[in-house]
Each structure stands twice: as C-alpha cells, then as structure tokens.
Amino acid sequence: MRPGDYMVHVFVEKLKDINMPQGSDTVDPMIVVECLGMKTFSSAKDNIGPIGVTNYSEHLFIEPRGVDKPDAESAKIMIKLMDKGMFKDALIGQFEFDMSYIYFMKDHTLLHKWLALSNPNGEDYAKIQAYLKVSISVAC
C-alpha cells in the first residue's frame, strides 16, 4: 500500500437475524464504521425485532488524509452493530477487516457480502449475533 489520502466507502445494505439482548423484544440498531481513528454512523432504526430483514441502503464514508505506508498497511476497518440507547449504546456484534485485504481485492472492492457479527464481550464469542450485508471499497 502506498502513503496518501484514502477513502473507505461502506455501503450498508441489509441486516437480519438479530440475536436479541436478554430481556429485550426489540432493538434500535445502528451501524458504526471505524478506521484509522475516525468514525461514521448510520441512522438508527426503531424497534426492530429478531425476525425479518431490515433494509439500510446507506453509504458511509471515512476519508483519512496523509496516511503513511505503515499505518495504511496495519489499518483495520471495524464494523459494529450497536443498540442505540438514550445515554449509552450497547454493542450487539462486530466484524473487522484489514484495510489492505480490501485494497488488494479486484477493483479494491468487496461486493454484496453477508458478515456474521459476533460480540467479543459476550458470554459466547463464537455465537453469531446478527448478519449484515455490506459492500466495501478502499481507494487511494
């Protein structure tokens, strides 16, 4: 990877099969994308249950400037599914990519992939908390 200005584009397509937190019938899901110390957020959906598909169709962008080569090569793209709360957001699940993994794919793009989100803070890290369909591109 080379030094310079980057653009990380995440197209959040759909969300399905949410594993509800204990004691909850619904959640208010919101997607957070983090990369190179920057964050961006999707809108929060209201009162979504565990069954069915929720359409997002939202484009999220992170544009880090002046990234040096070692930082670009070690950068991670973290995608988190949060339950939007009044005072604090709760993590439902997450998925992490190396930015270089996406950058070295054909056309620097991962298209229409379902991600199995897990919660590293949960009782069973291997348990799938939800599925999120995304497309991701990394440009320099």
Side-chain angles (χ1 to χ4, degrees):
M1 295 185 71
R2 59 185 184 182
D5 298 339
Y6 280 83
M7 181 175 69
V8 177
H9 172 213
V10 178
F11 178 51
V12 180
E13 299 179 40
K14 299 176 182 187
L15 174 66
K16 70 177 183 177
D17 298 338
I18 303 169
N19 187 6
M20 294 293 140
Q22 202 163 24
S24 297
D25 294 333
T26 63
V27 293
D28 299 331
M30 172 181 70
I31 309 301
V32 179
V33 177
E34 300 175 16
C35 185
L36 290 165
M38 302 175 81
K39 281 186 187 182
T40 187
F41 306 86
S42 73
S43 62
K45 305 293 184 182
D46 293 327
N47 299 320
I48 303 299
I51 299 174
V53 175
T54 302
N55 290 312
Y56 270 90
S57 296
E58 290 188 36
H59 297 270
L60 304 176
F61 295 91
I62 293 180
E63 298 182 43
R65 304 279 184 218
V67 179
D68 61 14
K69 183 176 168 68
D71 287 343
E73 290 173 348
S74 66
K76 306 283 187 199
I77 300 170
M78 177 72 74
I79 300 172
K80 295 181 179 180
L81 174 62
M82 308 295 287
D83 184 6
K84 180 78 174 140
M86 185 66 79
F87 299 106
K88 186 177 179 186
D89 301 335
L91 178 68
I92 297 173
Q94 67 184 35
F95 199 94
E96 181 179 277
F97 290 98
D98 288 334
M99 190 168 82
S100 60
Y101 173 75
I102 306 293
Y103 185 79
F104 288 115
M105 294 183 88
K106 183 179 185 292
D107 298 326
H108 312 293
T109 305
L110 175 81
L111 284 175
H112 314 298
K113 298 296 181 191
W114 284 101
L115 307 178
L117 307 178
S118 62
N119 186 343
N121 304 326
E123 292 178 20
D124 184 3
Y125 178 73
K127 185 174 183 183
I128 296 172
Q129 300 297 323
Y131 293 95
L132 183 67
K133 188 175 185 182
V134 297
S135 294
I136 304 171
S137 66
V138 175
C140 180

